[in-house]
């Protein structure tokens, strides 16, 4: 900037009256005014440009120093490596000049996360969940610090380093899994195992991997059944796996088919094939009799591995089984070693197409539930993960099918957004019914801060670039701020029509809802989808190429050993 200032000073000689002494006075004066005015404008524009260049350089230097500080902080915390959650273009000029509206919105989401986290720190630190209205904590997951563990990667991604380090110290020094508690294998896997593995993949800190292995070892006996289909409940201290009594002893489809991603990653990170072998055997068993339409009833006999007469749904108790067929294929980098997952998923998408109906008069597309040969015109908000899943998987088809499925994803996302827009609070109910001539109406009217719709909006924005999905997400965020934010955190609603509040801040609000909203307003280089895949609790895991001949390729002689000897009311994550 100094060099430019000197060159401008030399040019100001034209503004001195002596320069025009021998010229006609009027001409000289007019010329002086013209030259001086021109130089003032030129000088100002040049200085502004040089200022902007200097500011950009300083911003890049500050960002570089912050990155170095993060590496030093992680090193002091026991980290042996640091994974950059962005591409190497992190500090390019394009990203420095981020969309001001996106910056403002994600800062608002970050502030919401801080409000939720500080409330948890103040009133429920180390406990599973915060009850914001009564300002106390409860151990609804056996005392595993579920909110803390579920929030680790959200804190990391948002750059909340002080909060992340404090949480890391609690995990290292206080997290104890030796609990006399009957744990849901599914919920513990997606929240705790998934949360710890994601924190490890992001930070490289081995304390998270060690803890993930500890809890997984306690869950592993659940797979010791005659068929290899796991029981869905196990005592963390004593073992003794079993199924809930209300299922009649049956295992649940989603609870049995939503551990593959986490346990495969655990085997890859530890080099121990036992975790992967247990969960992949489940898929092998189901694939032997997998129907042409790829749709399975929600109950499975853990003794025979057969499915009985029970509902088929992409909502509670079915949903994430179909999600993981796609995501294990993506996580394996779409190689031949994981092609059977993609094949099964494509069959399931054929089945999904058979469940699509459209309402009257507004033609909202929705996914029916099926029982035997009859369809029920009901769709859970939980099934609103499906638009994102379909969009994510659409690129694996040829051009015609790819466009067909992407269009369907967009139609379903519009329906899910209208689940929110159709209520006085602009928050969605738990499920909806569709009646001829009446479009949609709320069935179960509570809202417990679920993430599924904003999850799908995130995927559709990333994959299409259509900013409409950002606008929809922002509207949903504002509805949460208006109706669910209280002095000490966030709560759900007992009724989306009246706005009456409950007294629980669900762990997945921090793990999923706020994370997907933050990423919705972040550049696509933050957790890029060709490098990371999200588990069903929104925990990003690094994509790892699978090859033939690895430990995952089991044969029938490797059946898990016999051990003679979930459930949730709706998928909570």
């Amino acid at each position: 900037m100094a060099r430019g200032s000197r060159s401008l000073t030399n040019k100001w000689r034209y503004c001195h009256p002596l320069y025009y002494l021998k010229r006609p006075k009027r001409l000289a004066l007019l010329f002086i005014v013209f030259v001086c005015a021109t130089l003032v404008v030129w000088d100002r524009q040049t200085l502004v440009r040089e200022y902007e260049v200097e500011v950009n350089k300083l911003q890049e230097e500050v960002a570089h120093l912050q990155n170095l500080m993060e590496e030093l902080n992680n090193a002091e915390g026991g980290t042996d490596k640091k994974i950059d959650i962005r591409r190497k273009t992190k500090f390019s000029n394009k990203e420095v000049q981020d969309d001001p509206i996106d910056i403002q919105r994600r800062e608002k989401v970050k502030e919401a996360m801080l409000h939720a986290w500080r409330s948890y720190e103040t009133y429920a630190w180390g406990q599973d969940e915060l009850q914001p209205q009564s300002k106390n904590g409860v151990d609804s997951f056996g005392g595993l610090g579920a909110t803390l563990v579920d929030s680790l990667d959200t804190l990391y991604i948002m750059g909340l380093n002080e909060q992340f380090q404090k949480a890391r110290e609690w995990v290292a020094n206080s997290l104890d899994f030796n609990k006399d508690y009957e744990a849901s294998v599914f919920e513990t896997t997606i929240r705790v195992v998934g949360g710890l593995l994601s924190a490890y993949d992001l930070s490289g800190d081995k304390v998270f991997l060690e803890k993930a292995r500890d809890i997984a070892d306690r869950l592993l006996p659940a797979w010791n059944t005659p068929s290899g289909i796991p029981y869905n409940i196990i005592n963390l201290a004593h073992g003794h796996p079993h199924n809930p009594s209300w299922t009649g002893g049956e295992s649940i489809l989603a609870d049995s088919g939503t551990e593959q991603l986490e346990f495969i990653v655990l085997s890859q990170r530890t080099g121990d094939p036992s975790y992967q072998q247990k969960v992949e055997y489940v898929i092998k068993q189901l694939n032997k009799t997998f129907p042409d339409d790829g749709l399975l009833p929600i109950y499975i006999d853990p003794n025979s591995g057969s499915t009985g007469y029970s509902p088929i749904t992409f909502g509670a108790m079915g949903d994430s089984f179909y999600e993981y067929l796609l995501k294990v294929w993506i996580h394996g980098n779409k190689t031949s070693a994981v092609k059977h997952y993609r094949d099964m998923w494509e069959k399931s998408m054929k089945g999904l197409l058979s469940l699509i109906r459209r309402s009257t008069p507004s033609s909202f597309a929705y996914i029916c539930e099926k029982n035997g040969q009859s369809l029920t015109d009901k769709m859970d908000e939980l099934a609103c993960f499906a638009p994102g899943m379909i969009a994510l998987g659409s690129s694996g088809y040829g051009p015609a099918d790819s466009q067909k499925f992407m269009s369907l994803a967009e139609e379903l996302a519009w329906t899910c957004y209208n689940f929110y827009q159709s209520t006085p609070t602009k928050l969605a109910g738990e499920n909806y019914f569709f009646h001829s001539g009446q479009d949609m109406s709320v069935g179960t009217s509570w809202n417990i801060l679920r993430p599924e719709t904003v999850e799908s909006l995130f995927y559709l924005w990333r994959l299409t670039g259509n900013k409409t999905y950002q606008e929809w997400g922002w509207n949903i965020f504002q509805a949460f701020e208006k109706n669910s934010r209280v002095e000490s955190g966030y709560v759900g609603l007992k009724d989306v029509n009246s706005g009456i509040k409950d007294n629980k801040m669900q762990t997945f609000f921090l793990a999923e809802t706020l994370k997907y909203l933050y990423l919705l307003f972040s550049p696509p280089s933050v957790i890029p989808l060709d490098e990371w895949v999200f588990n069903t609790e929104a925990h990003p895991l690094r994509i790892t190429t699978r090859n033939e001949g690895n430990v995952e390729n089991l044969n029938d002689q490797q059946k898990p050993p016999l051990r003679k000897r979930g459930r949730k009311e709706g998928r909570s994550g």
Side-chain angles (χ1 to χ4, degrees):
M1 189 151 55
R3 190 185 311 122
S5 299
R6 285 197 297 271
S7 64
L8 286 171
T9 301
N10 293 334
K11 293 179 179 65
W12 280 102
R13 67 183 183 276
Y14 297 114
C15 294
H16 201 286
L18 292 176
Y19 185 82
Y20 299 98
L21 188 61
K22 296 181 180 181
R23 290 165 174 74
K25 291 182 179 179
R26 183 172 296 179
L27 178 62
L29 288 173
L30 288 172
F31 195 72
I32 288 170
V33 171
F34 173 78
V35 171
C36 290
T38 303
L39 286 174
V40 166
V41 174
W42 180 27
D43 196 4
R44 183 167 183 164
Q45 290 176 338
T46 303
L47 288 172
V48 168
R49 285 195 299 270
E50 291 177 339
Y51 172 79
E52 290 175 342
V53 170
E54 291 297 322
V55 167
N56 280 343
K57 288 180 179 177
L58 287 171
Q59 286 177 325
E60 291 180 6
E61 280 297 314
V62 169
H64 177 64
L65 290 171
Q66 287 176 334
N67 210 31
L68 291 176
M69 285 297 296
E70 288 177 13
E71 290 180 4
L72 288 172
N73 288 337
N74 285 333
E76 290 173 1
T79 304
D80 63 346
K81 64 176 180 176
K82 179 180 182 294
I83 304 297
D84 192 348
I85 61 173
R86 294 175 179 246
R87 297 187 188 280
K88 293 182 180 179
T89 56
K90 180 176 181 179
F91 305 122
S92 67
N93 284 337
K94 183 177 180 182
E95 290 198 16
V96 170
Q97 299 169 3
D98 203 351
D99 185 332
I101 294 176
D102 286 349
I103 294 173
Q104 183 183 44
R105 289 177 174 180
R106 73 170 173 265
E107 285 303 309
K108 289 286 188 181
V109 176
K110 185 175 180 178
E111 189 279 327
M113 177 65 186
L114 274 171
H115 177 63
W117 180 257
R118 286 168 178 164
S119 300
Y120 171 75
E121 274 188 304
T122 302
Y123 299 109
W125 181 251
Q127 293 182 270
D128 287 329
E129 290 181 315
L130 168 66
Q131 296 187 142
Q133 305 271 47
S134 52
K135 297 182 179 179
N136 65 289
V138 291
D139 282 334
S140 43
F141 292 91
L144 307 182
T147 292
L148 188 150
V149 175
D150 227 2
S151 301
L152 286 166
D153 52 6
T154 305
L155 296 172
Y156 192 95
I157 290 167
M158 290 186 180
L160 298 171
N161 300 322
E162 180 182 341
Q163 292 79 5
F164 177 81
Q165 287 300 325
K166 183 177 178 181
R168 183 261 177 209
E169 292 307 310
W170 186 89
V171 169
N173 300 318
S174 301
L175 181 55
D176 177 18
F177 297 126
N178 191 32
K179 308 286 188 181
D180 186 9
Y181 172 69
E182 301 291 308
S184 162
V185 175
F186 166 72
E187 297 288 3
T188 308
T189 297
I190 67 172
R191 301 187 198 219
V192 181
V193 180
L196 291 168
L197 286 174
S198 182
Y200 173 70
D201 270 7
L202 288 165
S203 71
D205 193 329
K206 289 184 178 178
V207 69
F208 299 120
L209 182 61
E210 291 164 1
K211 291 291 185 178
R213 187 166 193 170
D214 182 0
I215 185 65
D217 285 343
R218 296 173 185 274
L219 299 176
L220 213 55
W223 279 264
N224 294 340
T225 67
S227 69
I229 303 296
Y231 293 118
N232 298 151
I233 293 176
I234 192 168
N235 186 288
L236 295 179
H238 308 298
H240 309 306
H242 59 93
N243 279 333
S245 58
W246 58 267
T247 68
E250 303 280 76
S251 296
I252 298 164
L253 177 63
D255 288 31
S256 303
T258 313
E259 291 90 6
Q260 283 68 30
L261 198 53
E262 294 83 357
F263 277 59
I264 289 168
V265 170
L266 186 59
S267 278
Q268 291 171 338
R269 304 300 182 261
T270 63
D272 184 345
S274 61
Y275 311 105
Q276 183 171 310
Q277 289 172 348
K278 292 282 190 181
V279 296
E280 294 229 293
Y281 190 80
V282 174
I283 302 302
K284 281 184 170 288
Q285 288 294 89
L286 295 177
N287 200 19
K288 288 178 180 178
T289 56
F290 205 56
D292 290 338
D293 66 2
L295 300 178
L296 291 180
I298 58 174
Y299 293 141
I300 311 172
D301 186 338
N303 295 305
S304 66
S306 61
T307 55
Y309 182 84
S310 56
I312 289 171
T313 178
F314 279 81
M317 299 191 284
D319 50 6
S320 48
F321 164 73
Y322 303 102
E323 177 187 359
Y324 270 34
L325 293 179
L326 175 67
K327 287 186 172 178
V328 174
W329 175 71
I330 292 172
H331 177 260
N333 212 12
K334 308 174 185 179
T335 64
S336 59
V338 286
K339 186 177 182 298
H340 60 291
Y341 282 96
R342 173 74 193 200
D343 292 341
M344 292 173 74
W345 183 77
E346 288 192 7
K347 285 184 178 181
S348 298
M349 290 306 97
K350 289 180 182 177
L352 182 143
L353 290 176
S354 71
L355 302 180
I356 297 294
R357 284 185 173 176
R358 288 172 175 80
S359 72
T360 57
S362 301
S363 196
F364 289 116
Y366 59 97
I367 307 171
C368 292
E369 296 183 350
K370 186 175 183 179
N371 206 331
Q373 296 303 311
S374 63
L375 298 181
T376 304
D377 294 301
K378 170 181 172 286
M379 181 174 171
D380 289 350
E381 197 281 336
L382 281 163
C384 285
F385 85 97
M389 174 190 70
I390 294 166
L392 187 62
S394 65
S395 62
Y397 290 105
D401 281 339
S402 178
Q403 182 56 50
K404 177 180 73 174
F405 279 103
M406 181 59 81
S407 296
L408 175 61
E410 293 181 314
E411 281 193 83
L412 290 170
W414 172 238
T415 301
C416 291
Y417 176 60
N418 277 277
F419 284 173
Y420 285 78
Q421 293 301 295
S422 65
T423 71
T425 58
K426 305 300 182 186
L427 289 177
E430 182 73 358
N431 50 54
Y432 284 77
F433 289 90
F434 295 82
H435 303 288
S436 180
Q438 300 176 34
D439 285 327
M440 62 181 69
S441 61
V442 177
T444 305
S445 62
W446 69 62
N447 179 291
I448 58 171
L449 308 170
R450 288 199 188 277
E452 283 74 21
T453 296
V454 293
E455 172 185 353
S456 285
L457 298 181
F458 159 72
Y459 280 115
L460 282 162
W461 172 69
R462 279 282 183 97
L463 296 168
T464 68
N466 186 343
K467 293 181 77 67
T468 297
Y469 300 115
Q470 290 181 307
E471 295 303 316
W472 294 356
W474 180 245
N475 291 340
I476 292 172
F477 174 70
Q478 289 181 303
F480 279 127
E481 287 291 287
K482 180 179 179 180
N483 296 282
S484 294
R485 183 169 179 144
V486 295
E487 179 189 353
S488 303
Y490 288 82
V491 295
L493 301 183
K494 294 180 180 179
D495 184 352
V496 295
N497 296 308
S498 67
I500 297 173
K501 295 174 172 56
D502 67 18
N503 188 28
K504 181 179 285 191
M505 187 170 76
Q506 302 279 351
T507 81
F508 51 70
F509 182 67
L510 291 78
E512 300 187 73
T513 309
L514 291 179
K515 182 188 293 151
Y516 281 130
L517 283 166
Y518 182 82
L519 292 173
L520 183 62
F521 303 114
S522 299
S525 57
V526 181
I527 313 292
L529 295 180
D530 60 347
E531 296 178 15
W532 300 85
V533 64
F534 292 88
N535 87 334
T536 198
E537 190 78 4
H539 295 308
L541 301 166
R542 186 168 283 279
I543 289 173
T544 307
T545 301
R546 297 269 296 273
N547 296 307
E548 298 289 353
N550 289 353
V551 290
E552 67 271 11
N553 297 307
L554 307 176
N555 55 47
D556 288 338
Q557 283 69 48
Q558 292 173 297
K559 182 176 178 178
L562 282 181
R563 178 175 176 176
K564 294 291 184 182
R565 339 163 328 216
R567 152 73 193 128
K568 47 193 178 15
E569 297 302 322
R571 192 182 82 79
S572 299

